[in-house]
Amino acid sequence: EPEVTQTPSHQVTQMGQEVILRCVPISNHLYFYWYRQILGQKVEFLVSFYNNEISEKSEIFDDQFSVERPDGSNFTLKIRSTKLEDSAMYFCATTGWLASPLHFGNGTRLTVT
Amino acid sequence: DQQVKQNSPSLSVQEGRISILNCDYTNSMFDYFLWYKKYPAEGPTFLISISSIKDKNEDGRFTVFLNKSAKHLSLHIVPSQPGDSAVYFCAASDSSNFGNEKLTFGTGTRLTIIP
């Protein structure tokens, strides 16, 4: 079964550094999302992306965050200047059409020290 | 802002018996509901969904029931198997907002199946 692939699986970075989390969506999927889960808390929506633009974003997704699909395959989440509170599991999710279930990747664990 | 609540953080069930996981929501705009299962070190995996035009959806051992007046849904797993041990998340969306793109998740229920 096709999978959403995320790299790296674990990223450790120092506060203030930039990080880029990468996702390879399922090949015929058109709708892309980032969610995150802080340890012990619920999975939270960050942003959705369709047709090369953001379609919705949450309050969490401030100016420090950005997303892009630079080469038509990878879908990336960039955090410009990481903070301690950005430490979380970041999940990429994709779907082929609206009102269909999201397929999640296995996540990137981001640790900011 | 807990629009989706799973009030039981954990549940233990004997193998072969029925597992019932519960979820409550407060946002009356939600009209599409999903259950996801999550193993450690993996992403959530879709299990089953239900639209608000239905009150029941069944897929093999999994059945989801929706009570719109009570703003309550439940997931029934029968018979429960050891491989069902995982964290189960309830999620909801407002499909008038471009479909299910913004899922609101509950905090999860850890289900343990006892052999």
Side-chain angles (χ1 to χ4, degrees):
Chain A
E1 186 176 326
E3 290 182 345
V4 176
T5 305
Q6 288 186 244
T7 55
S9 57
H10 191 189
Q11 174 89 47
V12 181
T13 189
Q14 287 192 325
M15 195 168 51
Q17 296 295 304
E18 175 184 285
V19 294
I20 298 176
L21 311 183
R22 291 184 166 81
C23 170
V24 178
I26 294 172
S27 64
N28 60 346
H29 284 189
L30 302 174
Y31 300 87
F32 312 116
Y33 310 82
W34 285 100
Y35 285 78
R36 80 172 186 189
Q37 185 180 27
I38 294 173
L39 186 64
Q41 298 185 23
K42 60 183 179 180
V43 178
E44 301 173 288
F45 169 80
L46 290 179
V47 66
S48 56
F49 188 86
Y50 169 70
N51 200 25
N52 284 320
E53 58 183 35
I54 290 173
S55 44
E56 188 172 356
K57 60 183 180 181
S58 72
E59 295 171 353
I60 303 167
F61 195 88
D62 61 22
D63 292 344
Q64 292 301 311
F65 291 85
S66 62
V67 289
E68 63 175 0
R69 198 169 180 226
D71 55 9
S73 59
N74 286 297
F75 175 52
T76 63
L77 173 70
K78 181 193 289 186
I79 310 174
R80 262 180 275 281
S81 177
T82 50
K83 303 189 274 284
L84 293 176
E85 54 264 38
D86 294 328
S87 295
M89 279 292 287
Y90 287 81
F91 293 106
C92 173
T94 74
T95 188
W97 58 92
L98 291 174
S100 67
L102 300 185
H103 295 258
F104 284 82
N106 285 337
T108 293
R109 179 173 299 282
L110 176 64
T111 302
V112 182
T113 62
Chain B
D1 176 19
Q2 288 203 50
Q3 297 187 66
V4 177
K5 299 178 194 177
Q6 293 177 256
N7 290 319
S8 298
S10 62
L11 175 69
S12 294
V13 174
Q14 287 286 145
E15 182 179 359
R17 308 292 285 267
I18 184 171
S19 295
I20 300 177
L21 296 99
N22 294 301
C23 177
D24 297 293
Y25 62 96
T26 56
N27 188 338
S28 56
M29 295 298 293
F30 288 150
D31 59 359
Y32 183 58
F33 305 90
L34 309 93
W35 284 94
Y36 280 83
K37 173 180 178 179
K38 187 180 180 303
Y39 293 118
E42 294 185 12
T45 302
F46 169 73
L47 266 181
I48 192 167
S49 63
I50 188 166
S51 160
S52 60
I53 62 173
K54 293 185 168 184
D55 53 21
K56 177 183 174 181
N57 189 25
E58 194 171 350
D59 183 2
R61 296 187 298 115
F62 302 93
T63 303
V64 55
F65 295 91
L66 175 63
N67 181 333
K68 289 184 289 293
S69 60
K71 293 191 177 69
H72 176 83
L73 63 154
S74 61
L75 173 69
H76 292 210
I77 306 172
V78 57
S80 301
Q81 299 173 354
D84 296 330
S85 295
V87 178
Y88 288 79
F89 291 98
C90 170
S93 72
D94 168 10
S95 66
S96 68
N97 186 21
F98 303 106
N100 73 341
E101 62 181 81
K102 179 181 175 181
L103 291 180
T104 300
F105 281 83
T107 49
T109 296
R110 181 178 300 280
L111 175 65
T112 302
I113 305 303
I114 304 164

